[in-house]
Amino acid sequence: MEVLPRAFYDRDTLSVARDLLGCYLVREQGGRRLTVQITETEAYIGRMDKACHAYQYKRTPRTETLFAPAGVSYIYLIYGMYHCLNFITEAEGEPCGVLIRGAVPVENRDIIAENRFGRKADQLTPAQRKHLLDGPGKLCKGLSLTRAENGLDLTRPPLYVCRGPAPQRIHTGTRIGIDYAQEAAEFPWRFWCGEVGPEEDGHGIL
């Protein structure tokens, strides 16, 4: 598979968020590849987005990675429990990124299922299969991603993205869980493919 170059991420954040749909996210660990296909993303643009951790260029130890060059992973912890994976976009110094909200397993599904539920894929309940990776915390748990993987170069192992088939249909809507962000809560910066819509469950953190 063709690994996405840094130039892919060094573009308008909204374009990157849309273009990531259908791509393959690969996590190499212990000599094995855990591969998923990205199905849902959200864009964050710090210079004018009150939902972004680095709104108006706010720099803290937590947000420092947001100012890194494009094509770097930004993983943070929320509620003291759940990790969220983001890809840094645009020019170095511009705090922008794309949250990977959802995916479906492609390779080593059993390992991904064991990471999530402690059992192989064929032992999952229908609900567990349906909601295996449809939330950012679920995705990180399934791929065994933590703050230890913050700041990784996304153009090489152990964490990288490869081109995939373009979705036949892309949906747009408002982002999830950012009611505090005033007008930014209404920005249509969430993108997903497939039939799952904002009225469906499975869009939470876990």
Side-chain angles (χ1 to χ4, degrees):
M1 294 188 291
E2 178 190 357
V3 178
L4 296 178
R6 194 170 312 283
F8 174 89
Y9 305 96
D10 192 7
R11 301 182 294 138
D12 169 71
T13 302
L14 297 178
S15 297
V16 176
R18 293 177 63 94
D19 292 346
L20 280 167
L21 295 176
C23 290
Y24 298 105
L25 171 61
V26 183
R27 159 75 155 136
E28 294 191 2
Q29 185 180 42
R32 297 174 296 192
R33 296 194 317 180
L34 308 183
T35 305
V36 301
Q37 189 171 33
I38 297 170
T39 58
E40 186 176 359
T41 62
E42 287 181 351
Y44 290 85
I45 302 174
R47 57 184 171 269
M48 44 76 72
D49 178 7
K50 292 177 182 177
C52 182
H53 294 163
Y55 172 57
Q56 292 187 332
Y57 299 93
K58 179 181 179 181
R59 295 184 90 127
T60 68
R62 184 196 196 199
T63 66
E64 192 61 33
T65 307
L66 273 166
F67 295 86
V72 170
S73 66
Y74 170 46
I75 300 179
Y76 58 84
L77 187 69
I78 60 173
Y79 308 137
M81 298 175 61
Y82 310 129
H83 290 91
C84 295
L85 171 65
N86 302 257
F87 299 158
I88 300 303
T89 56
E90 301 197 22
E92 183 175 3
E94 284 291 334
C96 302
V98 175
L99 171 67
I100 310 304
R101 278 204 56 89
V104 292
V106 173
E107 186 176 13
N108 278 319
R109 182 187 179 98
D110 278 344
I111 298 174
I112 294 171
E114 288 175 342
N115 287 342
R116 279 275 284 124
F117 297 110
R119 65 189 71 176
K120 294 185 183 299
D122 62 0
Q123 299 173 320
L124 299 180
T125 67
Q128 288 172 334
R129 285 194 295 272
K130 180 179 179 181
H131 301 298
L132 185 59
L133 300 175
D134 62 350
K138 300 173 186 180
L139 176 70
C140 283
K141 189 172 182 181
L143 297 181
S144 190
L145 293 171
T146 68
R147 282 279 300 165
E149 285 71 47
N150 180 58
L152 290 179
D153 183 345
L154 293 169
T155 65
R156 62 185 182 183
L159 188 67
Y160 53 97
V161 183
C162 299
R163 294 193 187 278
Q168 292 185 345
R169 184 180 179 191
I170 294 177
H171 308 266
T172 63
T174 56
R175 294 169 295 178
I176 294 172
I178 58 165
D179 294 343
Y180 60 87
Q182 298 179 350
E183 73 280 357
E186 300 302 318
F187 294 170
W189 287 0
R190 182 166 67 95
F191 306 94
W192 71 96
C193 54
E195 297 305 318
V196 176
E199 72 283 1
E200 307 239 1
D201 59 1
H203 287 281
I205 294 300
L206 253 192

